[in-house]
């Protein structure tokens, strides 16, 4: 009878080791669920923003134009990876390579009156 108990252990141990080996490889492949995506990867270089200069805004009853880098641009027009989203009276919203930017007119110099 003791001999039968010893044989049971001999059968159970290889099954246990086999199961352990089968699941151990999968356990090593598991990742930490709290780790943010992209953690440990090389950082990507951010694309530089396009140099934009807003020089003038023209708002009429039927159309709106903005002079950007010396060229008249209408709402929805795209150029050099930049798209004009909205033209307001005092600012222009553009989408520059997926980033929303707001362009403002430069402040005019104040002129003092002399007496």
């Amino acid at each position: 009878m003791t001999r039968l108990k010893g044989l049971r252990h001999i059968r159970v141990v290889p099954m246990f080791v086999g199961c352990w080996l089968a699941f151990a490889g999968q356990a090593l492949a598991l990742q930490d669920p709290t780790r943010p995506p992209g953690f440990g990867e090389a950082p990507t270089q951010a694309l530089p923003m396009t140099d934009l200069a807003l020089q003038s805004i023209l708002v009429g009853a039927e159309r709106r134009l903005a002079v950007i880098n010396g060229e008249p641009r209408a709402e929805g027009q795209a150029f050099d990876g930049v798209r004009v989203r909205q033209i307001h009276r005092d600012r222009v919203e553009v989408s520059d390579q997926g980033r929303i930017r707001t362009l403002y007119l430069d402040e005019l110099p104040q002129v003092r009156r002399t007496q």
Side-chain angles (χ1 to χ4, degrees):
M1 178 120 175
T2 57
R3 190 170 191 207
L4 290 177
K5 285 185 181 180
L7 290 177
R8 281 189 202 165
H9 290 298
I10 292 174
R11 287 187 203 164
V12 172
V13 170
M15 277 188 357
F16 176 74
V17 171
C19 290
W20 182 78
L21 288 175
F23 293 113
Q26 292 175 358
L28 292 176
L30 292 178
Q31 294 184 4
D32 183 3
T34 61
R35 176 184 277 178
F39 183 79
E41 295 176 3
T44 58
Q45 293 274 338
L47 296 173
M49 285 198 235
T50 308
D51 189 28
L52 300 173
L54 177 63
Q55 290 137 344
S56 180
I57 298 175
L58 306 167
V59 178
E62 296 182 16
R63 67 178 181 172
R64 296 169 179 250
L65 289 174
V67 179
I68 301 172
N69 291 348
E71 296 291 326
R73 309 289 182 186
E75 286 183 341
Q77 186 176 0
F79 63 97
D80 300 333
V82 177
R83 187 178 66 80
V84 179
R85 294 185 66 210
Q86 273 190 316
I87 299 175
H88 302 277
R89 291 186 179 273
D90 60 340
R91 68 191 183 281
V92 176
E93 291 178 12
V94 297
S95 175
D96 183 6
Q97 300 170 5
R99 296 174 285 202
I100 307 300
R101 292 176 56 187
T102 303
L103 306 176
Y104 295 95
L105 290 170
D106 289 333
E107 293 287 327
L108 295 174
Q110 298 296 321
V111 178
R112 291 195 286 175
R113 294 176 70 163
T114 58
Q115 296 183 4

